[in-house]
Amino acid sequence: MLLIIKAKAERLLGNFDESLNSLYKIDMESFNNETSIKGEIYNLMALSYCNLSDYQKAIELNDKAISIFKVNNDSLMLASAYNNKGIIHNHMSEDTQSEKFLLEALRINRALKNIKGISANLNNLCLYHGNLSKQKEYIQEAIIINKNLDAKWALAENYNNLGRLYIYEKDYESANTALKKAYTIANEIGAKGIVCDNYEYLSRLNAQSGNYKKAFEYQTKLNSLKQELQSENNLRKIELNKAEEKLNEVIRENEIKKQEYEIQRLERNIYGIIIIFILITIITILLTQRSKRKKKLALIKAQYRLEQSQHEIARQKMELQNMELQNAQLTLENNKQQMTNMAAFLKSRNELLEKIKELIKQGYKLNGSETTIHLKKINAIITQYQNNDKTNSVTLKSTEDINNEFIERLEKRHPNLTQGEKHLACLLRTDMSAKEIAIITGTTPKTINMNRYRLRKALNLSNETDLSEYIKQI
């Protein structure tokens, strides 16, 4: 950036060779191909080559700058490049091309509201002999802008250009007024380059108006000032050489610091690589341990699922055994119930036989017709029971229903009885003895007597109450 500033200063001083020299010292390879700084360098080079009359090289470098600014969408710098291209074509006396690019630069700067850029474009549009009416409008607008900005250097250039336009129109009085204003401002700020242009235009003005003596005076002043400027330029060159030596020294110091920084950066990179390697090693170890723990956890989970499966199988087996046990218990209860029903049926049959036996004994005492009637009665009773034998299932079913009704009544009165106590109560109501009940249930008479005692307790009966009679009454 320092070299760019130096190049601009050298160009303003007219040292175009030195300006280019400063720009060529910049390491262009250090910039990205599309950076705007690189475009600015090409733009400055183009102007210097233009001032050295190498217009082909100037156009080539200016085109590179325009291309870069377009890629970066840098409208401000693009306007500057178009302005410089207009100046190059102006030096080549290609006024149409010059006007085209200057107007494009003006359009962009107006859109951006870049006041300084607008002023510069308007001033440059008056560098050639064109549409004088339009050019005077341009320069008057530039004068207004620079007055508001208090830009005296630019204002002095504007009045110089305005005077030149009046010379083209042969309005020598207006030209003289404008040029005097330009001289006053330029002399005030010490702009000797602008004063030189002012002397040139005043010499031309007086020559065209026929005042050759005055024209010669201004030409003499111009030559004298140019010699003075040349002397100052030589002095500046000496000073600039010293400044350049200091600059080179600073550059060398910066280069040393840069190398030191590169060494430090390299050391930091080495440390960084070592740290990264250590971190990668630690991460690898941690990941390996994590993988092992995951496998171990997966194995534990698999073992747990296996154990759960085994527990589930054992539980299902236990449930199956319980169901089988319940089925066996139910089957046993059904068998007991059937045996009870059968016992009740046999008891009923025995009672019938006893009744028939008693009737036969009574028949021994009868005679004649009474015997016949008595036998018919016995026969009717036998016939009735024979019919009942043909429907044993119905009888047994009837007996079972009777027992069920008895159990319902028993449960209502004594709801806390066990299933065994209910079964024993059904057998006792048939007047079966302990021995008979033991044969039916497959136990001993002693066990039946013990169960009778427990049943009595469950029924809350006193010692005086007969168990069988109490059950029959339910």
Side-chain angles (χ1 to χ4, degrees), residues 266-279:
L266 183 60
E267 290 176 351
R268 286 198 299 270
N269 290 341
I270 293 171
Y271 293 144
I273 291 170
I274 293 171
I275 292 170
I276 291 170
F277 177 76
I278 293 171
L279 288 174

Side-chain angles (χ1 to χ4, degrees), residues 421 449-459:
E421 290 171 345
N449 288 330
M450 180 63 68
N451 290 341
R452 283 171 60 94
Y453 174 76
R454 290 175 180 168
L455 179 59
R456 177 184 289 277
K457 287 288 186 182
L459 297 174

Side-chain angles (χ1 to χ4, degrees), residues 38-53:
K38 199 167 187 177
E40 184 179 359
I41 294 168
Y42 286 140
N43 201 23
L44 289 172
M45 282 181 171
L47 275 182
S48 294
Y49 273 107
C50 174
N51 294 127
L52 293 170
S53 301

